[in-house]
Amino acid sequence: MRMFPVYSPKLIAKHVRIFLTGVIWVKDLGQLEFSNGRFLMPKRSLPQVRKAISELNSLLESQKVSPGPA
């Protein structure tokens, strides 16, 4: 489990792209689980956690590398 003392979306997204599956802990958000390079939305969570997960997933989606022309 990686611990992030501050919420830094780009650094967190980089970690998720490298490891693809695991758990991280972010100060003020708590434990966040990710699988297949995407964060999993918990069944019950605070609105700020849901907003952060949505932001992180959209950042991960925008950073996906699309295959170029062959």
Side-chain angles (χ1 to χ4, degrees):
M1 177 187 326
R2 169 92 190 258
M3 299 177 103
F4 291 91
V6 294
Y7 175 67
S8 176
K10 289 185 179 182
L11 186 60
I12 293 170
K14 181 180 177 182
H15 178 81
V16 172
R17 281 193 323 268
I18 292 170
F19 291 102
L20 296 178
T21 302
V23 178
I24 63 168
W25 182 86
V26 182
K27 184 178 181 183
D28 298 330
L29 294 178
Q31 182 174 316
L32 304 176
E33 186 177 354
F34 58 96
S35 178
N36 296 324
R38 290 189 52 87
F39 281 95
L40 305 175
M41 191 69 73
K43 292 181 181 178
R44 296 179 59 168
S45 63
L46 297 173
Q48 66 189 25
V49 174
R50 290 186 175 277
K51 182 180 176 187
I53 289 175
S54 297
E55 178 184 5
L56 289 166
N57 281 336
S58 65
L59 180 63
L60 287 165
E61 190 66 32
S62 69
Q63 290 181 349
K64 280 192 176 178
V65 177
S66 60

